[in-house]
Amino acid sequence: MVWIEWFENQWFETNEEMNKKSLIWKVVLPVAIGLAVVAWLFARDFNPAAMGAIRFDWHTVLGLALACLFVCGRDFGLTWRFHTIAAPDLSWKRALRVDLMCAFTSAITPSAVGGSALAIFYLNQEGVRVGRATALTLTTLFLDELFFVVFCPIIIIFVPFDELFGDASQRGAFLQGVEIVFWTVYGGICAYTALLYAGIIWKPQGVQRVIAWLFSLRWLRRWKAAADGMTANMAATSAWIKQCPRRWWVNVFGATTLSWFSRYLIVNALFWAFVPGCSMGLVFARQFVVWVLLMVSPTPGSSGISEWLFTEYYGDLIGSVDLALVIALCWRLITYYLYLVVGVCLAPSYFRRHP
């Protein structure tokens, strides 16, 4: 309920014309930030000779086609998940629409806000009751966090630590910062996942009592209503989720894994297109680090920060700053700007249906 109120206050003005103006501004700002950073990077590192050496042949075209295929895999995974958890209320078409609108909202809100959490609103607009939509959204949040908790240690085990963060004796300030932020954010993800697990699966009543006690303290009392709403949603989610069979869990976590793996393999496909001799295992592993870092990005859709982080973090694998910029731009075009365009086309229908 808190997310819906925030969304309404931020997005829906008193008339349709204001809605359109607000939508345009929210789209233009992240695009401007992203393009400004790309322009700055090109101005700083542009080398015409190096750019001329970049070849576009059948291998490049095939790699770009694979990247687009993995974009479809990302959307299929999330659509499958929405269709499964909301059955029988959500058809495949409506589930795809919810997925695309969540991607659009994520593209125009800071990562820390969590655009995907606004699936409550979109599910409700597609005919799912608010209470059930809240339970479904909490479940999807838990599945996404669980994916990182499960797979990040596996990546760390199989990929040499020095290849992820650089040799400890030669690590610069940038890689040191990457490592510190990664472990800090990953620790937060683990704590948040543990809270969600306890709140919606293990001990919802115990979590409810603890949170109620914490927010009864004087310096936290102002947020007590929001905390009570959150724990009530957890309890409702727990009651629903305990009825789900094991096969349901296999399907929804499988869909989550498919979506995230497809998202990472987009970068592998781009590297295969432009830098085929690179270690594809390392390229894939570094995507875990990149996405964990982007979870705390303060800019809408991580605009600017994504492009800069990609070129800096993957620069040693590419060897050419200019080529790194080209790959980063291709990456953002099909994983970010694409969803801005699709979202702008879909958003007016949601505005018209809003009372």
Side-chain angles (χ1 to χ4, degrees), residues 251-268:
N251 285 338
V252 295
F253 191 69
T256 302
T257 303
L258 171 63
S259 175
W260 278 105
F261 272 35
S262 296
R263 198 179 313 221
Y264 296 166
L265 288 170
I266 292 169
V267 177
N268 279 84

mmCIF file of all heavy atoms in Angstrom, residues 251-268:
data_model
loop_
_atom_site.group_PDB
_atom_site.id
_atom_site.type_symbol
_atom_site.label_atom_id
_atom_site.label_comp_id
_atom_site.label_asym_id
_atom_site.label_seq_id
_atom_site.Cartn_x
_atom_site.Cartn_y
_atom_site.Cartn_z
ATOM 1 N N ASN A 251 9.216 -23.870 -10.443
ATOM 2 C CA ASN A 251 8.892 -23.072 -11.628
ATOM 3 C C ASN A 251 9.264 -21.604 -11.459
ATOM 4 O O ASN A 251 9.897 -21.005 -12.331
ATOM 5 C CB ASN A 251 7.398 -23.199 -11.959
ATOM 6 C CG ASN A 251 7.054 -24.524 -12.598
ATOM 7 O OD1 ASN A 251 7.914 -25.188 -13.170
ATOM 8 N ND2 ASN A 251 5.799 -24.924 -12.504
ATOM 9 N N VAL A 252 8.871 -21.003 -10.333
ATOM 10 C CA VAL A 252 9.096 -19.569 -10.172
ATOM 11 C C VAL A 252 10.579 -19.252 -9.958
ATOM 12 O O VAL A 252 11.084 -18.234 -10.455
ATOM 13 C CB VAL A 252 8.234 -18.981 -9.030
ATOM 14 C CG1 VAL A 252 6.758 -19.070 -9.372
ATOM 15 C CG2 VAL A 252 8.531 -19.643 -7.702
ATOM 16 N N PHE A 253 11.303 -20.123 -9.239
ATOM 17 C CA PHE A 253 12.735 -19.856 -9.082
ATOM 18 C C PHE A 253 13.469 -20.165 -10.383
ATOM 19 O O PHE A 253 14.447 -19.492 -10.725
ATOM 20 C CB PHE A 253 13.329 -20.668 -7.936
ATOM 21 C CG PHE A 253 14.730 -20.240 -7.574
ATOM 22 C CD1 PHE A 253 14.957 -19.006 -6.979
ATOM 23 C CD2 PHE A 253 15.821 -21.047 -7.848
ATOM 24 C CE1 PHE A 253 16.242 -18.586 -6.656
ATOM 25 C CE2 PHE A 253 17.113 -20.636 -7.523
ATOM 26 C CZ PHE A 253 17.321 -19.404 -6.928
ATOM 27 N N GLY A 254 13.001 -21.159 -11.128
ATOM 28 C CA GLY A 254 13.583 -21.428 -12.435
ATOM 29 C C GLY A 254 13.380 -20.261 -13.378
ATOM 30 O O GLY A 254 14.301 -19.890 -14.133
ATOM 31 N N ALA A 255 12.193 -19.655 -13.358
ATOM 32 C CA ALA A 255 11.928 -18.485 -14.195
ATOM 33 C C ALA A 255 12.807 -17.312 -13.776
ATOM 34 O O ALA A 255 13.322 -16.567 -14.624
ATOM 35 C CB ALA A 255 10.449 -18.106 -14.093
ATOM 36 N N THR A 256 12.997 -17.139 -12.474
ATOM 37 C CA THR A 256 13.868 -16.071 -11.968
ATOM 38 C C THR A 256 15.306 -16.280 -12.436
ATOM 39 O O THR A 256 15.963 -15.344 -12.900
ATOM 40 C CB THR A 256 13.825 -16.035 -10.430
ATOM 41 O OG1 THR A 256 12.483 -15.839 -9.996
ATOM 42 C CG2 THR A 256 14.715 -14.926 -9.881
ATOM 43 N N THR A 257 15.791 -17.505 -12.328
ATOM 44 C CA THR A 257 17.162 -17.816 -12.752
ATOM 45 C C THR A 257 17.323 -17.611 -14.250
ATOM 46 O O THR A 257 18.329 -17.051 -14.710
ATOM 47 C CB THR A 257 17.513 -19.270 -12.382
ATOM 48 O OG1 THR A 257 17.342 -19.444 -10.976
ATOM 49 C CG2 THR A 257 18.948 -19.603 -12.762
ATOM 50 N N LEU A 258 16.340 -18.056 -15.035
ATOM 51 C CA LEU A 258 16.389 -17.862 -16.481
ATOM 52 C C LEU A 258 16.478 -16.382 -16.833
ATOM 53 O O LEU A 258 17.265 -15.975 -17.695
ATOM 54 C CB LEU A 258 15.142 -18.474 -17.129
ATOM 55 C CG LEU A 258 14.940 -18.171 -18.621
ATOM 56 C CD1 LEU A 258 16.071 -18.753 -19.448
ATOM 57 C CD2 LEU A 258 13.581 -18.699 -19.097
ATOM 58 N N SER A 259 15.686 -15.574 -16.156
ATOM 59 C CA SER A 259 15.675 -14.142 -16.436
ATOM 60 C C SER A 259 17.025 -13.494 -16.131
ATOM 61 O O SER A 259 17.573 -12.751 -16.946
ATOM 62 C CB SER A 259 14.571 -13.468 -15.630
ATOM 63 O OG SER A 259 14.616 -12.074 -15.790
ATOM 64 N N TRP A 260 17.575 -13.789 -14.932
ATOM 65 C CA TRP A 260 18.842 -13.168 -14.549
ATOM 66 C C TRP A 260 20.007 -13.694 -15.376
ATOM 67 O O TRP A 260 20.874 -12.930 -15.791
ATOM 68 C CB TRP A 260 19.105 -13.388 -13.061
ATOM 69 C CG TRP A 260 18.382 -12.396 -12.203
ATOM 70 C CD1 TRP A 260 17.264 -12.625 -11.444
ATOM 71 C CD2 TRP A 260 18.689 -11.010 -12.032
ATOM 72 N NE1 TRP A 260 16.871 -11.472 -10.810
ATOM 73 C CE2 TRP A 260 17.733 -10.462 -11.150
ATOM 74 C CE3 TRP A 260 19.685 -10.179 -12.536
ATOM 75 C CZ2 TRP A 260 17.733 -9.130 -10.765
ATOM 76 C CZ3 TRP A 260 19.696 -8.837 -12.148
ATOM 77 C CH2 TRP A 260 18.726 -8.338 -11.275
ATOM 78 N N PHE A 261 20.045 -14.979 -15.657
ATOM 79 C CA PHE A 261 21.109 -15.525 -16.490
ATOM 80 C C PHE A 261 21.052 -14.928 -17.895
ATOM 81 O O PHE A 261 22.090 -14.610 -18.494
ATOM 82 C CB PHE A 261 21.012 -17.051 -16.554
ATOM 83 C CG PHE A 261 21.750 -17.750 -15.447
ATOM 84 C CD1 PHE A 261 21.810 -17.209 -14.178
ATOM 85 C CD2 PHE A 261 22.388 -18.952 -15.669
ATOM 86 C CE1 PHE A 261 22.488 -17.836 -13.143
ATOM 87 C CE2 PHE A 261 23.074 -19.602 -14.651
ATOM 88 C CZ PHE A 261 23.117 -19.040 -13.385
ATOM 89 N N SER A 262 19.859 -14.780 -18.445
ATOM 90 C CA SER A 262 19.711 -14.164 -19.765
ATOM 91 C C SER A 262 20.221 -12.731 -19.749
ATOM 92 O O SER A 262 20.878 -12.276 -20.689
ATOM 93 C CB SER A 262 18.240 -14.194 -20.202
ATOM 94 O OG SER A 262 17.775 -15.513 -20.357
ATOM 95 N N ARG A 263 19.933 -12.020 -18.656
ATOM 96 C CA ARG A 263 20.396 -10.635 -18.524
ATOM 97 C C ARG A 263 21.923 -10.580 -18.544
ATOM 98 O O ARG A 263 22.512 -9.692 -19.161
ATOM 99 C CB ARG A 263 19.858 -10.069 -17.199
ATOM 100 C CG ARG A 263 19.882 -8.566 -17.112
ATOM 101 C CD ARG A 263 19.317 -8.096 -15.789
ATOM 102 N NE ARG A 263 18.062 -8.744 -15.443
ATOM 103 C CZ ARG A 263 17.016 -8.120 -14.908
ATOM 104 N NH1 ARG A 263 17.072 -6.830 -14.696
ATOM 105 N NH2 ARG A 263 15.925 -8.772 -14.593
ATOM 106 N N TYR A 264 22.571 -11.518 -17.882
ATOM 107 C CA TYR A 264 24.033 -11.544 -17.854
ATOM 108 C C TYR A 264 24.618 -11.981 -19.198
ATOM 109 O O TYR A 264 25.641 -11.459 -19.647
ATOM 110 C CB TYR A 264 24.529 -12.490 -16.764
ATOM 111 C CG TYR A 264 24.172 -12.067 -15.358
ATOM 112 C CD1 TYR A 264 24.304 -12.946 -14.294
ATOM 113 C CD2 TYR A 264 23.699 -10.784 -15.085
ATOM 114 C CE1 TYR A 264 23.982 -12.566 -13.000
ATOM 115 C CE2 TYR A 264 23.369 -10.407 -13.799
ATOM 116 C CZ TYR A 264 23.506 -11.299 -12.760
ATOM 117 O OH TYR A 264 23.189 -10.912 -11.486
ATOM 118 N N LEU A 265 23.953 -12.946 -19.839
ATOM 119 C CA LEU A 265 24.469 -13.477 -21.099
ATOM 120 C C LEU A 265 24.375 -12.468 -22.238
ATOM 121 O O LEU A 265 25.022 -12.648 -23.276
ATOM 122 C CB LEU A 265 23.715 -14.760 -21.460
ATOM 123 C CG LEU A 265 24.062 -15.979 -20.587
ATOM 124 C CD1 LEU A 265 23.095 -17.125 -20.859
ATOM 125 C CD2 LEU A 265 25.507 -16.422 -20.832
ATOM 126 N N ILE A 266 23.579 -11.422 -22.071
ATOM 127 C CA ILE A 266 23.566 -10.344 -23.059
ATOM 128 C C ILE A 266 24.976 -9.776 -23.218
ATOM 129 O O ILE A 266 25.455 -9.564 -24.335
ATOM 130 C CB ILE A 266 22.591 -9.224 -22.628
ATOM 131 C CG1 ILE A 266 21.145 -9.726 -22.679
ATOM 132 C CG2 ILE A 266 22.754 -7.987 -23.515
ATOM 133 C CD1 ILE A 266 20.146 -8.785 -22.030
ATOM 134 N N VAL A 267 25.648 -9.549 -22.104
ATOM 135 C CA VAL A 267 27.011 -9.014 -22.148
ATOM 136 C C VAL A 267 27.969 -10.032 -22.753
ATOM 137 O O VAL A 267 28.869 -9.682 -23.522
ATOM 138 C CB VAL A 267 27.467 -8.580 -20.739
ATOM 139 C CG1 VAL A 267 28.913 -8.098 -20.757
ATOM 140 C CG2 VAL A 267 26.551 -7.478 -20.208
ATOM 141 N N ASN A 268 27.781 -11.315 -22.431
ATOM 142 C CA ASN A 268 28.607 -12.357 -23.041
ATOM 143 C C ASN A 268 28.471 -12.344 -24.561
ATOM 144 O O ASN A 268 29.462 -12.479 -25.293
ATOM 145 C CB ASN A 268 28.214 -13.735 -22.514
ATOM 146 C CG ASN A 268 28.830 -14.028 -21.162
ATOM 147 O OD1 ASN A 268 28.293 -13.625 -20.132
ATOM 148 N ND2 ASN A 268 29.955 -14.717 -21.143
#
